Amino acid sequence: MAAACSSYTSEVTERRGIPAASFVQDVQSYLSQSGLDVNSALAFLQERLQQYRVVEMKLLAQQRDLQAKIPDIEKCLDIVATLQAKKDSSEALVADFEVSEGIYSRAKIEDAESVCLWLGANVMLQYSCEEATALLQTNLENAKASLEVLVADLQFLRDQVTITQVTTARVYNWDVHQRRLRQATTPKES
């Protein structure tokens, strides 16, 4: 192996708090440089895999939340656009809306100049239709951008899991090979 080639390589040190895994090319150099024996190295790698799994679960939950939130925002944008379109005509808008789970009511909406939006934490604010459209559009863009970042984080995380699994296999296989070499060189007792 060339002297310029290190025993393990990593291009990125981390991504948004997710530590990057190092691909181990030379297990013996890796173990001597890290100061670990085989069992300690395997335990460290297994612990790192567990950490990656926990982070993956959190990211997947965030992804599900965003994937549910985006259609809701788009639906709100459509409703505000419908209200604005009906505002210009003299025709009233008749809408069925959910009052409570399974309980609906019918409303006749005439000249809607403003809408009320739930902001969360039991807070509702009244906006003009134009302000509501701008706010919802901004929220939609932010949610889509966050989803793209989450997808990239998940891909990075999956790469780190794969690298760590390969490294674990390489360390384990190296240890098995070393044990076989020691057994082959040890004289057999009769």
Side-chain angles (χ1 to χ4, degrees), residues 36-52:
L36 299 173
D37 64 357
V38 172
N39 290 333
S40 299
L42 289 172
F44 169 77
L45 292 168
Q46 289 301 323
E47 182 180 329
R48 180 59 60 93
L49 275 174
Q50 281 302 111
Q51 292 170 347
Y52 285 147

Side-chain angles (χ1 to χ4, degrees), residues 115-127 135-136 139:
V115 295
C116 294
L117 298 178
W118 283 106
L119 300 180
N122 293 327
V123 175
M124 180 185 273
L125 286 179
Q126 183 174 353
Y127 291 96
L135 177 67
L136 290 169
N139 289 352

Side-chain angles (χ1 to χ4, degrees), residues 87-126:
K87 179 174 71 170
D88 296 334
S89 70
S90 60
E91 181 182 342
L93 176 67
V94 178
D96 293 329
F97 63 96
E98 191 172 17
V99 177
S100 182
E101 188 173 330
I103 301 173
Y104 292 85
S105 181
R106 182 160 287 170
K108 185 176 181 183
I109 304 168
E110 297 173 353
D111 298 328
E113 297 295 323
S114 62
V115 295
C116 294
L117 298 178
W118 283 106
L119 300 180
N122 293 327
V123 175
M124 180 185 273
L125 286 179
Q126 183 174 353

Side-chain angles (χ1 to χ4, degrees), residues 127-139:
Y127 291 96
S128 69
C129 289
E130 294 79 17
E131 290 173 328
T133 300
L135 177 67
L136 290 169
Q137 194 63 44
T138 301
N139 289 352

